[in-house]
Amino acid sequence: MKPFPSAIDAPDAKVIALTAEMLAKTSALARQSPRGRIIQRLHKQDDAPLHRMVNVMQPGSYARPHRHSNPPKAEAFIVLSGAVRFVAFDDRGDILQCLDMRPGSATFGVDIEPGVWHTLIVLEPDTSLFEVKDGPYSPGSDKDFADWSPAEGTPESARFLDELIKQTDGMPSGPAR
């Protein structure tokens, strides 16, 4: 049996319209995904200097805390639909910042400098983000996973996510403390 893809290839066009139909199709795939999320790639090649994608996620999807530091890569998210909580950490795993983001609200996106430990907690079904990150992509060096967080797909990851939700629920959403 073929594994469920983590990403959908970019459409074969020089100009790609970001449409409600694209979000609906990607959301349907995210609901089917064992990971509870899927990426619609917009960049054509892994070696592209700038990666653009639509990332659709479901509540309960665990994005292991990570950073992009070697090589250093900036990253930005803009929420297109739904709601997500961005959480930044220090090197020990202590929470530095929490931002609840949704379209039309005071905070609808985040720009992250290279080397910042972070994760996302999905707050609403079919949450879709426009994501931009420096390329190129190389699986071995794209992310540094936090050693204080459990690997994706483990029983510990579900407990970690539940605890993180409890810790950040009601936490002020705003600048780093």
Side-chain angles (χ1 to χ4, degrees):
M1 186 166 123
K2 189 175 179 182
F4 201 91
S6 60
I8 306 164
D9 288 338
D12 186 21
K14 290 192 183 252
V15 176
I16 301 169
L18 305 181
T19 65
E21 180 183 0
M22 176 189 282
L23 289 182
K25 286 180 179 179
T26 310
S27 293
L29 287 171
R31 288 190 296 271
Q32 295 171 28
S33 168
R35 299 174 74 211
R37 65 181 185 273
I38 197 161
I39 291 170
Q40 169 63 70
R41 290 170 45 138
L42 302 172
H43 57 282
K44 309 290 191 277
Q45 309 274 338
D46 283 347
D47 64 355
L50 184 67
H51 286 210
R52 292 110 39 228
M53 58 207 98
V54 176
N55 195 339
V56 179
M57 302 174 290
Q58 302 300 326
S61 179
Y62 174 65
R64 185 177 182 185
H66 63 279
R67 63 182 176 184
H68 307 281
S69 62
N70 188 18
K73 294 181 180 188
E75 186 173 29
F77 298 102
I78 296 174
V79 183
L80 302 174
S81 64
V84 68
R85 179 172 296 146
F86 168 83
V87 183
F89 305 90
D90 67 15
D91 289 337
R92 293 185 325 251
D94 294 327
I95 297 169
L96 295 175
Q97 188 173 15
C98 182
L99 297 170
D100 283 358
M101 305 181 299
R102 66 182 71 243
S105 71
T107 304
F108 57 87
V110 63
D111 185 77
I112 311 159
E113 287 292 319
V116 174
W117 293 108
H118 63 281
T119 191
L120 298 170
I121 299 170
V122 183
L123 302 174
E124 294 181 6
D126 297 337
T127 291
S128 59
L129 309 173
F130 179 71
E131 180 179 348
V132 178
K133 182 171 63 172
D134 291 328
Y137 173 75
S138 174
S141 65
D142 181 60
K143 295 178 177 118
D144 302 320
F145 290 109
D147 60 10
W148 40 260
S149 67
E152 183 178 341
T154 64
E156 295 81 15
S157 67
R159 288 191 289 273
F160 181 89
L161 180 59
D162 287 344
E163 185 58 32
L164 188 58
I165 291 167
K166 288 177 193 166
Q167 286 177 0
T168 60
D169 190 41
M171 183 177 273
S173 181
R177 291 181 265 289

